[in-house]
Amino acid sequence: MNITIFSAKHYDRTFFDRTNTNDRHTLRYLEPRLNAETASLAEGADAVCAFVNDQLDEDTLRELAARGVKLILLRSAGFNHVDLAAATRQGLTVARVPAYSPHAVAEHTLALILTLNRQTHRAFNRVREHNFSLEGLIGFDLHQKTVGIIGTGTIGTAFASLLSGFGCRLLAYDPYPNDACKELGVDYVDLPTLLGASHIISLHCPLTPETHHLINAEALEQMRPGVMLINTSRGAIVDTRAVIQGLKNETIGYLGLDVYEEEEALFFEDQSEQIIHDDLFARLLTFPNVLITGHQGFFTREALSNIARITLANATAFESGQGTLHEVTLKRQSPA
Ligand code: NAI
C-alpha cells in the first residue's frame, strides 16, 4: 500500500522504516502538517498517516478522497482531530493505535509531578552556577497525599498503579469505573468530591464535548488551595484563562502541562528564533510554579515502536482483510 506520512520527523522515519520489514508498504515521508492546503500532496497515495495536530476536517477529507485516498491511519490513540462524520460521508476508513504504551504517558505524568514538587529543574540550574542554597526548593512528601485521577482508562490505570507505590490515597472520577483500579485501592467518587479532596489532580480522560473546559473557573473554586494540577491528556480539557486566574490567586499551587489548547501553533517545532504571539501561553511561562513540556508524554522508544507496528498492521489489515483493523467509527463513545 502507498502511504503518505504527514508531519513526519526523523524519529518517525526511523521507527516506521525499521518496522516496515521487506518493504511491505511504500512509505513517503512529508514534513508539512496535513490540512486542506497540503492534502493534495497525498496524490497517488492509498492511505495517509496523520499525527495529533494534523487537521482532518471536512475540507481536508474531501480533498484526500478526491485524490484517491481510502484510508486514514492515525498514529495516535486520540482522534478528536478527525471529523468522523465527514470521513463517513467521503467514504474514508479511519484507523488508530488504541494503546501503544500507557506507561510512557503515565511515567511522564509522574515526572511532571516529581519535578514540580521537588523542583529538580531549578536545582539543576542553581548547582551549575555553584548556588547551593535550598531557599525556595521545599517540597512535600507524596506519601499519604490524595491524588485525584480524572479518567481511569489505560493511562489513568497505569498512573494509579505508579502512585499506589508511593503510598498515596487514590480517588478517581470516571463514568466507567474499572476493576483494576478498584483492586489498587482507588475510590471512585463524584467529580466535586474529587476536586475538593485532592492535593494533586491529574487528567486522563479524552477530549470530548463533555470534557471540553472540564477544568474551568467553577471547577477551580471547588479545589483545595495550592492544588497541583497536571494535564497530559488534551489541552482543551483545561480552560487556560481560568487556570491563569487560578495561578494568580494561588488556588493552583503547581501546574504541569504536556498539552495546551492552542498547541497546534507551537508544539513539535523549534520556535526558539520566533516571537511567541500566543499571549496566554507566554503568560503561563512567567509563573515559577508552572512546568510545560511540548506533548512528549508518548515519546519513548517502546511507544514509537508500537505506534509504527500497529499503524502498519492497520494498513495491512485494511489491504488484505487479515489481522485486526483498529477502526474508529462514529458509534464509539469514548475516544482515546
Ligand atoms: P482510554 O480510552 O483508555 O481511557 C479514557 C478514560 O476516560 C475511559 O475510562 C473513559 O471512561 C474516561 N472518560 C470518558 N469521559 C470522561 C469524563 N467525562 N470524565 C471522566 N472520565 C471520562 O484512553 P487512554 O489511552 O487512557 O488515553 C487517555 C487520553 O490521554 C487520550 O484521550 C489522549 O487525549 C491522551 N494521550 C496523551 C498523550 C501524550 O503524549 N500526552 C499520548 C496518548 C494519549
Side-chain angles (χ1 to χ4, degrees), residues 77-80 96 98-100 102 105 108 150-157 173-178 203-208 210-211 214 231-234 237 258-259 295-299 332-336:
F79 52 86
N80 52 285
R96 69 176 185 133
Y100 41 85
V105 186
H108 188 73
I150 300 182
T152 53
T154 52
I155 295 171
T157 302
Y173 169 69
D174 191 311
Y176 302 98
N178 77 54
L203 305 176
H204 299 288
C205 56
L207 175 61
T208 64
E210 293 76 44
T211 62
L214 183 75
N231 186 9
T232 58
S233 193
R234 282 292 180 270
I237 297 171
D258 186 48
V259 287
H295 205 141
Q296 69 173 83
F298 72 100
F299 202 54
R332 198 170 180 285
Q333 295 299 308
S334 167

